Amino acid sequence: MEKIRCLIIGGGPAGYTAAVYASRSSLAPVLYEGMEPGGQLTTTTVVENYPGFKDGVDANELMNQMRAQAQRFGADIRRGTVTKADLSQRPFQITVDGEHEIEAETLIIATGATAKYLGLPSETRFRGAGVSACATCDGFFYRRKDVAVVGGGDSACEEATYLAGLCNKVYMIVRRDVFRASKAMQERVFATPNIEILWNCNTQEVLGDDTGVTGVRLVRKNGEVFDIKVDGFFLGIGHHPNAELFATWVQTDENGYIVTEGKTTKTNVEGVFAAGDVQDPKYRQAITAAASGCRAALDAERFLLEKKNQ
Ligand code: NDP
């Protein structure tokens, strides 16, 4: 059984930043990166809104730099997926890849969230070449062009209004004849002249060629099939927080996001902290995730200090 003072789960901006701070605080952190080192950010190309990079930075490069920065201070970063967690008492019992047993004094959950996709082969084909699940990350590449957003919830409405400020025209593809979004968000959409809502429509196929996305084939509820011309296809059908493994012990909200206490990263389980998108349905940015990773490491350090002084 391996004993660890600070175990960080998740290799995205939140996890790596937590590892930078925890290693500089001599917590000897161990970080497991999981199946997707670098996290959601690596599904995009250039990151232009991360402060400190005047000309933008390649997403993978940014993540590699964060990882290397944590390693420079001694963070032990490992490939591996946590497959079991027992948080019923401290130290917490964690199993990695079904076999490696760990006892962790503190735990930082930074497992992120996964954007939902429709599951169409054409959507997979053009991922990163016109298909995106993040308007804030990629919208800039579609300035003065026509794009489509799928979904009728707050995320889709937020994406559509954001894109409307950059793009020539935004189509919203909504599968019912009503929005799920809050009234305020709906009103923002209705008040934006360059958003056209295509009610009762489902996406049949994302169309494209070697240059990327060129359009979308839609099917209306009455069976009518038609195409629209767009350069970008944005998913706004929700995210799935990766919190199931911990949900028996850690409180989650109605959408599965881990609940943290006030401005801290404390969960309802003493010694367990949550950072990044797994606890943030609202902002979901690399910079906000990194900031909460910093807070989680500081919270873990203070927690261990308090325990020592008790
Ligand atoms: P939601 O689950 O609220 O909405 C998802 C939307 O996508 C729905 O309109 C749904 O349609 C549609 N959808 C789902 N699957 C498909 C599919 N396969 N094909 C077509 N359409 C589909 O997710 P959100 O991410 O919008 O919101 C999640 C939570 O985060 C909510 O509580 C929301 O209020 C909150 N949020 C708040 C924000 C804010 O306050 N600024 C911003 C963003 C999110 P249908 O309605 O038919 O099910």
Side-chain angles (χ1 to χ4, degrees):
M1 175 83 70
E2 186 184 11
K3 293 185 191 324
I4 292 173
R5 285 192 84 197
C6 178
L7 178 66
I8 301 166
I9 311 175
Y16 293 142
T17 307
V20 169
Y21 274 77
S23 50
R24 285 170 61 84
S25 309
S26 305
L27 296 189
V30 172
L31 181 151
Y32 277 94
E33 292 184 313
M35 298 285 280
E36 197 184 28
Q40 270 194 91
L41 204 62
T42 56
T43 61
T44 181
T45 47
V46 180
V47 182
E48 293 192 319
N49 54 8
Y50 200 89
F53 300 91
K54 180 172 75 67
D55 300 316
V57 56
D58 177 84
N60 283 296
E61 176 58 18
L62 179 62
M63 290 298 93
N64 290 340
Q65 287 287 343
M66 279 194 199
R67 183 191 296 110
Q69 190 179 357
Q71 283 168 328
R72 182 159 82 86
F73 298 114
D76 182 349
I77 298 185
R78 305 175 184 172
R79 285 285 168 93
T81 303
V82 170
T83 45
K84 202 169 153 212
D86 180 352
L87 311 184
S88 56
Q89 55 181 9
R90 257 191 4 111
F92 308 115
Q93 311 291 313
I94 308 290
T95 309
V96 178
D97 292 334
E99 50 182 34
H100 183 58
E101 308 273 337
I102 291 171
E103 265 188 13
E105 281 182 59
T106 57
L107 179 66
I108 296 176
I109 304 171
T111 43
T114 310
K116 291 182 192 163
Y117 284 82
L118 297 171
L120 302 168
S122 55
E123 175 192 51
T124 313
R125 181 177 160 212
F126 294 111
R127 216 184 266 193
V131 172
S132 166
C134 179
T136 336
C137 321
D138 298 328
F140 195 70
F141 302 113
Y142 301 93
R143 267 173 309 164
R144 292 185 282 279
K145 294 184 172 173
D146 292 355
V147 297
V149 176
V150 192
D154 280 329
S155 292
C157 289
E158 202 167 54
E159 292 207 347
T161 43
Y162 174 79
L163 290 167
L166 296 168
C167 303
N168 176 55
K169 178 163 189 168
V170 179
Y171 293 98
M172 284 192 78
I173 305 167
V174 184
R175 67 178 173 186
R176 291 186 292 150
D177 60 355
V178 285
F179 277 133
R180 181 182 290 275
S182 59
K183 196 113 186 89
M185 208 66 101
Q186 294 191 26
E187 276 161 14
R188 272 174 63 189
V189 168
F190 294 138
T192 309
N194 61 336
I195 297 179
E196 181 179 338
I197 306 161
L198 302 168
W199 301 108
N200 292 313
C201 284
N202 270 304
T203 307
Q204 202 172 65
E205 204 184 336
V206 181
L207 308 170
D209 55 27
D210 291 346
T211 63
V213 169
T214 56
V216 186
R217 181 153 300 151
L218 300 169
V219 55
R220 238 188 265 278
K221 231 176 211 158
N222 62 10
E224 180 200 352
V225 178
F226 65 103
D227 295 350
I228 53 170
K229 275 190 179 173
V230 291
D231 294 297
F233 180 77
F234 288 85
L235 280 305
I237 60 171
H239 284 76
H240 181 76
N242 302 316
E244 284 94 346
L245 208 57
F246 316 101
T248 312
W249 297 275
V250 172
Q251 191 192 339
T252 52
D253 70 10
E254 67 278 11
N255 295 311
Y257 288 88
I258 295 178
V259 175
T260 50
E261 195 185 300
K263 288 184 179 170
T264 76
T265 60
K266 290 179 189 170
T267 69
N268 60 310
V269 180
E270 247 206 344
V272 177
F273 306 90
D277 286 11
V278 72
Q279 52 84 58
D280 177 15
K282 195 162 182 181
Y283 299 104
R284 301 194 198 111
Q285 302 300 299
I287 185 69
T288 53
S292 73
C294 157
R295 289 192 284 128
L298 296 176
D299 287 343
E301 184 192 1
R302 277 173 205 153
F303 171 80
L304 286 170
L305 199 65
E306 278 167 22
K307 285 286 159 201
K308 199 174 144 199
N309 293 336
Q310 268 174 12

